[in-house]
Amino acid sequence: MPGRAEGGNEVRITSIWNLPVTPHPQLRRDLLMNAGGRRQAQPYMRTGFCDKENTVLHRYLAKVSRKLGATPSQLQLRNRAQARVEGTLSGPGLLVAGEAWPGVLTEPAQVLVAKGAEIEMRDTFYLHHGGTIGVQAGARLSLGSGYASPRVWISCGLSIEIGDGVAIADQTIIRDWDGHDIEGRPDRKPIQIGNHVWIGMRCIILKGVTIGDGAVIGAGSVVTRDVPPGMLATGNPATVRRPIIWR
């Protein structure tokens, strides 16, 4: 099954235990022939092909593909973006890392998914250049549609859900964990960001926060409490100011 291609490079998608990977094009046929597979060599394998008979073949192909820098089908890298995916990418959507506005100089974006972690793509989400998405072991990040502007940092230690039509401005930090244990206080709580939310430049969204549909977070705000749907919140700590009506 042909996959997405970037910059003229061939991309073929093979699903291995629900984790799509891109086998190295030069070794694809050799892998299929030499991994102990019982089927005839093919240029590429059918998506979703993971019957019990070929367990060894699939594990071998997945392992070698990762070592050769395989790119999951739900992840597209642009402008020197880098990814280390040891966990799972799921869902029907696409994460585009390294997006850039026309005419700007770029710096690499990063996508880091630890073993046992998951990113779910429900739609197309753009991580602009210089941005970082990091998901720790056992954590889950769920992305709808929208974008994160340059140098945004999304750090997921438990659970972060971002809705559809979300705009996250430059240098914003979204982090659901503290990184340090303090007695009598949990160090991580889930974050939920609703649909059609606009988060202004250099905001900080901290653990345990829910931002309702249609809300706007003013530039430089530090969000430590929930923001109701359709409201403007600004300041440090962020305070709900007034209703917002979208045109």
Side-chain angles (χ1 to χ4, degrees):
M1 168 182 170
R4 302 177 179 89
E6 182 68 12
N9 296 325
E10 181 192 21
V11 178
R12 299 289 187 181
I13 306 305
T14 301
S15 180
I16 307 237
W17 299 112
N18 299 319
L19 174 62
V21 300
T22 305
H24 192 283
Q26 296 178 346
L27 295 184
R28 186 185 299 116
R29 185 181 295 272
D30 292 339
L31 287 171
L32 291 170
M33 294 180 68
N34 298 331
R38 300 174 186 173
R39 295 184 182 268
Q40 225 173 7
Q42 307 170 48
Y44 54 89
M45 297 168 63
R46 300 190 303 275
T47 299
F49 173 70
C50 55
D51 56 69
K52 198 170 182 179
E53 180 186 11
N54 284 274
T55 299
V56 175
L57 170 63
H58 281 267
R59 288 178 178 171
Y60 181 80
L61 179 57
K63 180 179 179 181
V64 176
S65 295
R66 291 191 189 100
K67 286 185 177 180
L68 292 171
T71 303
S73 65
Q74 294 102 330
L75 178 61
Q76 190 177 100
L77 304 179
R78 298 178 179 176
N79 295 309
R80 299 174 291 122
Q82 299 177 336
R84 184 176 69 232
V85 179
E86 299 174 338
T88 302
L89 302 183
S90 65
L94 173 67
L95 172 59
V96 180
E99 182 70 2
W101 306 121
V104 303
L105 300 176
T106 63
E107 52 187 306
Q110 298 183 74
V111 178
L112 308 171
V113 186
K115 186 176 182 180
E118 178 185 2
I119 300 181
E120 177 196 28
M121 273 74 69
R122 307 187 312 276
D123 207 324
T124 301
F125 190 89
Y126 294 88
L127 175 69
H128 278 243
H129 67 98
T132 298
I133 288 178
V135 187
Q136 297 183 4
R140 184 174 186 271
L141 171 64
S142 180
L143 299 172
S145 63
Y147 66 88
S149 292
R151 298 184 181 178
V152 166
W153 180 23
I154 300 175
S155 181
C156 182
L158 179 62
S159 173
I160 297 176
E161 182 176 345
I162 297 176
D164 294 323
V166 174
I168 305 172
D170 303 41
Q171 301 180 50
T172 289
I173 297 172
I174 301 173
R175 184 180 172 109
D176 68 352
W177 63 292
D178 294 333
H180 301 281
D181 293 327
I182 298 177
E183 188 174 348
R185 164 179 173 163
D187 83 320
R188 56 195 70 200
K189 291 182 180 179
I191 291 174
Q192 185 168 358
I193 298 172
N195 300 321
H196 307 294
V197 170
W198 178 14
I199 300 175
M201 184 179 293
R202 294 185 177 177
C203 288
I204 300 176
I205 313 299
L206 296 178
K207 68 182 186 191
V209 163
T210 296
I211 299 175
D213 294 349
V216 174
I217 310 300
S221 298
V222 179
V223 183
T224 60
R225 297 180 180 178
D226 293 352
V227 177
M231 301 297 289
L232 168 67
T234 64
N236 180 10
T239 302
V240 176
R241 304 293 180 179
R242 59 182 174 83
I244 285 287
I245 300 176
W246 289 87
R247 291 183 179 178

